Amino acid sequence: MRKNDTIAALCTAPGGALGILRISGPGSLEAARRVWTSRKGLSADSPRRLTFGHTLRENGEPGESCMAVYMPAPASYTGEDVVEIQCHGGEYAPRALLERLFRTGLCRAAEPGEFTKRAFLNGKIDLTQAEAVADLISAKSDAAGRLAERQLSGALGERIREISRTLADILAEIESRLDFPEEELDWKNGNELIRELASVRETIGRLLSGKEASAILRSGVRLVIAGAPNVGKSSLLNRLLGYDRAIVSAIPGTTRDTLRESAAIRGIRVELTDTAGIRDTAEDPVEQMGIERSRSSLRLAEIVFWVFDASAVSAEEIRKMRESVPERSTTIAVWNKTDLLSGGFSIPDTGVKSAAVSARTGEGVDALQDLFEQAVWKNGERSEPECAVSARHVRALEEADSALGRACEEIADEAYELAADGLRAAVAAIASITGESASPDVLEEIFSRFCIGK
């Protein structure tokens, strides 16, 4: 990062009723005064007070009415002097104000995630909290939002710091043995050190035990709706989404391409894919391309809703399901159109869990969602970990746990110098989670995923 410069960006998406422009850095107050004015003005004498004023045109004349607030360092989001200007929304007004600000030459455009990156570098938040900001923005379900909020509050960071403090104390104990071998100090015996390290490893194990649930709640699952033409796949998609997204027709082959939408089912983020009907003979080359895309989607699916027409049970279609869905995917057979049946319906044996539904009326969809939830949690109870660990956290925790395992073995053999090496490796891995020892490449990779303005 460039030092001592000032950055600016829009913090709101274009098109809304309100536009917020954020300026951060040592020149933020002067830059704001070039594009905004009021009778009271902005100063250190009235910090964190939303003030009514007007934008300034380049000829010095007042423009639209808007509000501004000055937050002096270090009591701001970034830890630097920050000014936020709230103007009318839409496409034109916020963008015109930002361009006018850049033409003053007092600031530059912020890079993606740079405001949060500065907050991290200035010690306002740790790296787990910075990642939680991105998670909160991208959250698509209540559960994902709650996990991000807990991490943003510092729950995971505090757990990691507790581990770090304990390891630092144990390492200091071992290094004192190496530095003062002739002294008769009150050192802990090897078994006590091993017990303390075992306790740390238990804490790491508890954090790692939530990795699968964290991944599911944060990233969601890929759910593909497949089956033969005209069995009601698009109707089921619309029912699950709660609105008409796909065209529904009685004509087979209406869906020619895959449709992807995000949804939340039982609090789980889902990427829903509606596919073209799969059949062996398709004379239309466009339909054939759609079928190939359907097969490609199935290869990536984690869960598959294979839809059948309950009014026309076919052993051939059951065979096609078994051949088409990869073994690693969890398949749920969905017997649709039960509303067309005059009598009861006995679900055929397909070798997978099944649900009888009517996508048109919604009957049976709750039971289908129950089966989906069971498939996600592998028939166990829904799990929402207190601390959500990401793939990056998991790698660091596993590296630390492995190093601590080696250290315990070395302590048992009284090879304290080798044990100290293992402990140092564990401390470095743990410190990388909160950012105390994260490399510039890691920081670049994390903050590049942020949007501009955050």
Side-chain angles (χ1 to χ4, degrees), residues 283-431:
E283 298 180 359
D284 187 336
V286 176
E287 184 182 356
Q288 185 59 45
M289 291 173 63
I291 293 172
E292 290 304 316
R293 290 193 178 187
S294 298
R295 297 187 188 280
S296 296
S297 296
L298 282 170
R299 286 192 287 271
L300 299 174
E302 294 170 279
I303 297 177
V304 176
F305 284 175
W306 191 279
V307 185
F308 296 95
D309 184 345
S311 65
V313 178
S314 166
E316 176 62 21
E317 290 304 319
I318 295 175
R319 180 193 63 79
K320 189 175 295 181
M321 176 193 72
R322 291 170 176 165
E323 292 178 351
S324 300
V325 180
E327 289 185 6
R328 70 173 188 81
S329 303
T330 300
T331 306
I332 297 174
V334 183
W335 297 91
N336 189 31
K337 302 188 181 182
T338 55
D339 56 297
L340 301 180
L341 304 176
S342 56
F345 176 67
S346 179
I347 296 178
D349 182 13
T350 59
V352 299
K353 292 186 176 181
S354 302
V357 308
S358 168
R360 186 179 68 84
T361 67
E363 184 179 359
V365 172
D366 281 346
L368 174 60
Q369 292 180 340
D370 288 341
L371 292 179
F372 166 79
E373 191 172 17
Q374 293 168 19
V376 169
W377 303 120
K378 312 299 183 187
N379 292 320
E381 293 184 1
R382 173 184 174 140
S383 173
E384 189 172 312
E386 181 182 349
C387 296
V389 290
S390 68
R392 184 183 76 85
H393 305 152
V394 168
R395 289 193 299 271
L397 288 168
E398 290 178 340
E399 181 182 343
D401 186 60
S402 177
L404 292 177
R406 295 194 303 271
C408 287
E409 293 174 1
E410 303 298 350
I411 292 173
D413 294 336
E414 297 188 354
Y416 288 106
E417 188 166 351
L418 294 176
D421 287 340
L423 276 167
R424 292 188 195 102
V427 168
I430 291 296

Side-chain angles (χ1 to χ4, degrees), residues 135-453:
D135 289 342
L136 188 59
I137 292 171
S138 63
K140 293 292 194 301
S141 68
D142 290 342
R146 286 193 298 270
L147 283 180
E149 287 170 352
R150 284 200 292 270
Q151 187 165 318
L152 187 55
S153 72
L156 177 59
E158 186 52 40
R159 289 287 186 87
I160 296 302
R161 282 186 286 274
E162 288 175 4
I163 293 173
S164 185
R165 286 191 291 267
T166 302
L167 292 181
D169 290 342
I170 297 173
L171 180 58
E173 169 85 14
I174 290 177
E175 287 181 332
S176 71
R177 288 175 178 265
L178 301 175
D179 293 339
F180 308 102
E182 305 299 327
E183 301 290 337
E184 294 185 3
L185 301 178
D186 187 20
W187 288 313
K188 298 176 182 177
N189 63 49
N191 289 334
E192 188 174 352
L193 292 175
I194 290 172
R195 283 195 298 271
E196 290 181 0
L197 290 179
S199 177
V200 171
R201 295 186 70 189
E202 286 178 7
T203 301
I204 291 175
R206 286 193 295 272
L207 290 174
L208 287 173
S209 68
K211 64 181 181 181
E212 293 181 357
S214 297
I216 289 169
L217 294 175
R218 178 185 284 112
S219 304
V221 296
R222 291 186 293 272
L223 171 60
V224 172
I225 303 174
N230 205 34
V231 294
K233 298 184 299 298
S234 296
S235 297
L236 181 59
L237 172 75
N238 291 341
R239 172 63 62 177
L240 292 172
L241 291 175
Y243 62 91
D244 290 342
R245 170 63 179 85
I247 297 174
V248 176
S249 168
I251 302 172
T254 299
T255 301
R256 300 295 187 93
D257 200 356
T258 54
L259 293 177
R260 288 187 176 86
E261 287 292 331
S262 292
I265 298 177
R266 297 294 171 82
I268 302 163
R269 178 179 177 178
V270 178
E271 182 187 272
L272 271 169
T273 302
D274 180 26
T275 61
I278 296 176
R279 54 181 168 180
D280 296 328
T281 57
E283 298 180 359
D284 187 336
V286 176
E287 184 182 356
Q288 185 59 45
M289 291 173 63
I291 293 172
E292 290 304 316
R293 290 193 178 187
S294 298
R295 297 187 188 280
S296 296
S297 296
L298 282 170
R299 286 192 287 271
L300 299 174
E302 294 170 279
I303 297 177
V304 176
F305 284 175
W306 191 279
V307 185
F308 296 95
D309 184 345
S311 65
V313 178
S314 166
E316 176 62 21
E317 290 304 319
I318 295 175
R319 180 193 63 79
K320 189 175 295 181
M321 176 193 72
R322 291 170 176 165
E323 292 178 351
S324 300
V325 180
E327 289 185 6
R328 70 173 188 81
S329 303
T330 300
T331 306
I332 297 174
V334 183
W335 297 91
N336 189 31
K337 302 188 181 182
T338 55
D339 56 297
L340 301 180
L341 304 176
S342 56
F345 176 67
S346 179
I347 296 178
D349 182 13
T350 59
V352 299
K353 292 186 176 181
S354 302
V357 308
S358 168
R360 186 179 68 84
T361 67
E363 184 179 359
V365 172
D366 281 346
L368 174 60
Q369 292 180 340
D370 288 341
L371 292 179
F372 166 79
E373 191 172 17
Q374 293 168 19
V376 169
W377 303 120
K378 312 299 183 187
N379 292 320
E381 293 184 1
R382 173 184 174 140
S383 173
E384 189 172 312
E386 181 182 349
C387 296
V389 290
S390 68
R392 184 183 76 85
H393 305 152
V394 168
R395 289 193 299 271
L397 288 168
E398 290 178 340
E399 181 182 343
D401 186 60
S402 177
L404 292 177
R406 295 194 303 271
C408 287
E409 293 174 1
E410 303 298 350
I411 292 173
D413 294 336
E414 297 188 354
Y416 288 106
E417 188 166 351
L418 294 176
D421 287 340
L423 276 167
R424 292 188 195 102
V427 168
I430 291 296
S432 71
I433 296 176
T434 54
E436 295 174 49
S437 66
S439 69
D441 289 341
V442 170
L443 297 181
E444 183 65 28
E445 192 274 331
I446 289 172
F447 288 103
S448 66
R449 300 198 298 265
F450 281 64
C451 58
I452 293 176

